[in-house]
């Protein structure tokens, strides 16, 4: 194995091609979206109760004021960074067949990724808490205080997984099916501590996949299931890794 982890990761990804990408909050940090934990993390500013479904249902007006200002006004202005673009390019090249993200910010799709599984849902859709209505977060819907369903007038929620809610069935099934069938799992921007999402790379590893990790800090995966650890920011490492993969595929 090449002692340079980027070279070594590129060798493996270019040879196997059957790549599953697994991302967390860290890949959006360079787009200006803070992670949950650590310096500058959301937990230092917002009480985690805010993400409890019971709290949301009991205090919809107050919750929606925060949701609107943090998620839609602030995060809504953020654009994909070099890491999002590199992940999308890997899919376009036929190297990555699936991307499982714990993120809710829609930036993978904005970068051009198509096969995205949103494990924790998305801010890109509002869902009625009573009827079957689901639709994009238009300016008109978001203007309501709190936003209400255009069909039945009940409370709308962003279609994200709050604490106390289950993972969407399709996301759960497809993520684990992809983990079972990949040959390489590229993990980036996650502490690997959020259950059950963190079991996706564990499943890939158990089924024989090679796990490559890109993170400026070690995670719960490092030293356990990570085969190749690349220390650094996703926005800096991913374009370099992509170039190395391209070189090998052109040979
Ligand atoms: P986390 O907040 O617990 O940890 C962030 C991880 O990203 C850490 O391991 C950190 O070392 C790493 N990191 C920081 N900067 C990085 C960079 N530039 N490049 C690569 N890695 C970097 O995140 P988590 O493990 O994903 O768990 C938090 C939960 O909250 C997840 O469900 C997550 O998706 C969600 N969340 C989502 C967003 C978003 O949609 N952008 C933002 C905050 C939290």
């Amino acid at each position: 194995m090449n002692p340079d982890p980027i070279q070594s990761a590129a060798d493996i990804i270019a040879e196997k091609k059957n790549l599953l990408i697994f991302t967390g909050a860290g890949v959006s940090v360079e787009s200006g979206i803070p992670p949950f934990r650590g310096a500058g993390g959301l937990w230092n500013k917002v009480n985690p109760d805010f993400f409890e479904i019971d709290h949301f249902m009991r205090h919809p007006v107050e919750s929606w004021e925060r949701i609107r200002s943090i998620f839609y006004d602030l995060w809504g202005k953020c654009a994909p960074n070099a890491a999002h673009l590199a992940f999308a390019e890997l899919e376009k090249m036929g190297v990555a067949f699936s991307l499982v993200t714990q993120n809710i910010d829609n930036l993978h799709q904005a970068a051009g990724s198509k096969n995205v599984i949103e494990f924790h849902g998305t801010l890109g859709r509002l869902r009625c808490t009573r009827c079957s209505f689901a639709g994009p977060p238009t300016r008109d819907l978001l203007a309501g205080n709190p936003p209400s369903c255009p069909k039945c007038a009940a409370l709308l929620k962003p279609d994200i997984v709050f604490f106390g809610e289950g993972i969407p069935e399709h996301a759960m099934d497809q993520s684990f099916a992809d983990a079972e069938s990949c040959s390489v799992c590229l993990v980036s921007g996650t502490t690997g501590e959020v259950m059950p999402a963190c079991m996706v790379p564990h499943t890939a590893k158990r089924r024989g996949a090679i796990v490559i990790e890109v993170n400026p800090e070690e995670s719960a995966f490092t030293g356990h299931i990570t085969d190749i650890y690349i220390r650094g920011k996703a926005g800096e490492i991913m374009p370099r890794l992509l170039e190395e993969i391209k070189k090998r595929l052109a040979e």
Side-chain angles (χ1 to χ4, degrees):
M1 203 184 269
N2 194 309
D4 175 341
I6 295 188
Q7 300 294 328
S8 171
D11 285 344
I12 289 166
I13 294 171
E15 186 209 326
K16 308 252 185 208
K17 296 190 188 75
N18 185 29
L19 177 70
L20 170 66
I21 298 165
F22 179 78
T23 66
V27 301
S28 293
V29 166
E30 290 157 271
S31 292
I33 296 182
F36 273 178
R37 299 167 182 82
L42 217 52
W43 282 165
N44 302 325
K45 297 188 193 121
V46 179
N47 186 330
D49 282 357
F50 169 58
F51 290 102
E52 295 277 353
I53 188 64
D54 288 349
H55 183 272
F56 172 79
M57 295 303 288
R58 278 202 314 270
H59 308 282
V61 175
E62 177 202 320
S63 295
W64 258 110
E65 274 164 13
R66 283 238 167 102
I67 289 169
R68 204 182 288 109
S69 73
I70 297 176
F71 289 159
Y72 291 102
D73 296 346
L74 230 64
W75 294 18
K77 294 193 185 84
C78 295
N81 64 52
H84 296 105
L85 295 171
F87 294 133
E89 181 87 16
L90 285 171
E91 180 185 301
K92 243 180 258 152
M93 288 158 57
V95 169
F97 71 99
S98 174
L99 187 155
V100 177
T101 187
Q102 299 166 84
N103 296 348
I104 53 177
D105 56 28
N106 215 40
L107 290 184
H108 286 301
Q109 290 92 333
S113 287
K114 302 267 184 269
N115 296 324
V116 180
I117 304 171
E118 294 167 307
F119 205 85
H120 292 151
T122 177
L123 292 169
R125 197 166 47 238
L126 302 179
R127 187 171 286 287
C128 181
T129 54
R130 185 195 295 153
C131 77
S132 60
F133 173 82
T138 59
R139 195 183 285 260
D140 279 356
L141 286 177
L142 287 177
N145 199 18
S148 59
C149 178
K151 273 190 173 169
C152 77
L155 176 65
L156 286 177
K157 74 183 273 286
D159 199 8
I160 58 174
V161 178
F162 281 74
F163 293 131
E165 290 190 299
I167 306 299
E169 202 176 307
H170 166 76
M172 184 86 131
D173 293 350
Q174 194 60 52
S175 300
F176 284 97
D178 291 352
E180 291 192 2
S181 68
C182 72
S183 308
V184 189
C185 181
L186 173 62
V187 174
S188 188
T190 175
T191 50
E193 286 170 5
V194 178
M195 278 285 278
C198 67
M199 294 313 291
V200 171
H202 279 278
T203 301
K205 175 76 177 184
R206 206 176 55 243
R207 296 295 288 241
I210 294 167
V211 177
I212 297 168
E213 180 178 4
V214 177
N215 196 320
E217 286 170 34
E218 295 191 358
S219 73
F221 299 130
T222 328
H224 295 278
I225 62 165
T226 299
D227 295 293
I228 300 175
Y229 175 64
I230 309 175
R231 186 182 294 280
K233 295 180 177 175
E236 291 170 10
I237 300 292
M238 282 311 304
R240 290 169 57 195
L241 181 56
L242 177 67
E243 279 318 302
E244 292 302 323
I245 295 167
K246 278 185 178 167
K247 272 190 217 161
R248 284 158 178 77
L249 293 177
E251 275 165 12

